[in-house]
Amino acid sequence: MKVDLDDLRAIVTVARAGGFREGARVMGVSASGLSDAVRRVEERLGVRLFNRTTRSVVPTEAGRGLIARLDTALGEVEAALDVVNGFRSRPAGSLKLNVPVSAARLVLPRLIPSFLAAYPEIRVEIITEESFVDVIEAGCDAGIRYDDRLEQDMIALPIGPRIQRFATAASKAYLDRHGRPEHPRDLLGHACLLGRFSSGALASPWEFEREGEVVRIEPSGPLIVRAGGGTDLAVDAAVAGAGVIHLFEDWLRPLFNSGDLEPVLETWWQPFSGPFLYYPGRRLVPAPLRAFIDFVRSAAWTD
């Protein structure tokens, strides 16, 4: 009985993603095409693999049994195929990274162009997402996050500047109208521009530190944006004089240099550790990811 390998991958992807729409996003195909692939396998096997409703797609008992075996088997197939890369002069294939918007903006521009130039046969796909995800279930090879507290089977590799700071800023016009805060608690009387994570939690409290003293405040204000995707809107609002913003220093630095924003409470800006590239340690590392890991290790970060 012959079943297409890509159709089998579709089965595993749908199960991991919990549905056709998310599975299609992971595989880069249409939801209808993914549904057709699952249907073809079911017809070949003569058994239903998923129970489908308008709200959910759940594996049947037969589906769970098949998926459990396929997950391991497809991993072995991919590892076997990747061995061929060892006989190439340069690695080839695809590399999919799951990263926060801040990393895509502040870290990867210094790496990806030169990496692509060094490895022209590798195709890189960047997926921006703020929440911490299981990179395998998300169909990615690795991720970047600003926290090294990862699962035991994950390997974390420093990537990007090792020390960064959160900066607070507002436009000169706003500060001329409302005054310049002298202590973090003064911000409680200001219009603050806030972010909200995809989990629904606000990106607060704002935290400040000076000479061992840590101050946390719960700011409020007229604008809340989705952390990551809506951050540029908050920055534009701050430049237009709508309020005070609290964000990565490197994100705001060009606006300090241009005079569009003025630093606020700079002696209180809190440092934090830089991001990490993380990937599963329990699997054979594909050649494109191995090349990227080696490239990251060789990069010199001076800031």
Side-chain angles (χ1 to χ4, degrees):
M1 179 184 298
K2 292 184 178 180
V3 179
D4 188 273
L5 189 61
D6 286 338
D7 288 352
L8 294 178
R9 289 195 179 99
I11 297 292
V12 175
T13 301
V14 170
R16 285 176 177 169
F20 292 105
R21 181 172 298 179
E22 182 63 18
R25 185 185 70 81
V26 170
M27 290 192 70
V29 299
S30 68
S32 61
L34 199 59
S35 179
D36 289 342
V38 171
R39 178 181 50 76
R40 283 194 296 270
V41 176
E42 289 179 327
E43 290 178 352
R44 284 291 182 90
L45 298 178
V47 64
R48 179 177 289 275
L49 299 175
F50 293 94
N51 289 319
R52 305 160 175 82
T53 70
T54 57
R55 294 179 178 271
S56 65
V57 178
V58 180
T60 62
E61 183 178 356
R64 289 193 300 272
L66 176 62
I67 291 160
R69 300 293 295 272
L70 281 179
D71 199 23
T72 301
L74 289 175
E76 290 297 323
V77 170
E78 291 170 1
L81 293 174
D82 193 64
V83 169
V84 177
N85 259 326
F87 295 90
R88 301 174 61 94
S89 59
R90 290 181 299 192
S94 62
L95 172 65
K96 185 181 290 189
L97 302 177
N98 187 292
V99 309
V101 172
S102 54
R105 186 183 185 103
L106 305 177
V107 176
L108 293 183
R110 289 180 51 175
L111 287 171
I112 294 300
S114 51
F115 178 75
L116 294 176
Y119 298 96
E121 295 180 54
I122 294 178
R123 185 186 68 177
V124 178
E125 181 176 353
I126 306 297
I127 297 174
T128 56
E129 192 167 18
E130 294 306 304
S131 59
F132 183 80
V133 300
D134 183 318
V135 291
I136 296 299
E137 288 194 1
C140 298
D141 299 294
I144 296 177
R145 288 298 180 272
Y146 287 83
D147 195 335
D148 61 344
R149 296 191 298 271
L150 303 174
E151 289 87 347
Q152 291 183 354
D153 60 352
M154 288 288 175
I155 296 174
L157 173 69
I159 184 173
R162 298 324 306 144
I163 299 296
Q164 298 180 318
R165 292 194 300 176
F166 282 113
T168 312
S171 69
K172 181 179 183 301
Y174 173 88
L175 295 171
D176 287 344
R177 291 196 311 271
H178 300 280
R180 287 164 173 77
E182 297 181 359
H183 189 277
R185 294 190 186 91
D186 294 341
L187 292 172
L188 295 174
H190 282 264
C192 295
L193 309 175
L194 308 176
R196 189 185 298 278
F197 295 115
S198 57
S199 65
L202 283 172
S204 66
W206 289 4
E207 195 164 291
F208 300 85
E209 183 177 357
R210 187 174 70 177
E211 297 177 354
E213 180 185 3
V214 176
V215 177
R216 299 177 181 87
I217 66 165
E218 297 283 352
S220 61
L223 177 65
I224 300 175
V225 301
R226 175 61 62 89
T231 302
D232 279 332
L233 173 59
V235 172
D236 290 343
V239 170
V244 181
I245 192 166
H246 187 69
L247 191 60
F248 295 92
E249 178 183 4
D250 291 342
W251 198 314
L252 298 179
R253 179 59 57 190
L255 298 170
F256 295 152
N257 295 338
S258 67
D260 290 319
L261 287 178
E262 180 178 318
V264 172
L265 299 169
E266 188 167 1
T267 59
W268 285 91
W269 291 357
Q270 187 180 56
F272 60 96
S273 63
F276 291 81
L277 176 73
Y278 72 97
Y279 56 96
R282 65 183 183 274
R283 294 192 173 196
L284 178 69
V285 177
L289 177 56
R290 171 55 59 193
F292 187 67
I293 290 169
D294 293 341
F295 194 84
V296 169
R297 284 179 171 150
S298 68
W301 296 94
T302 58
D303 52 357

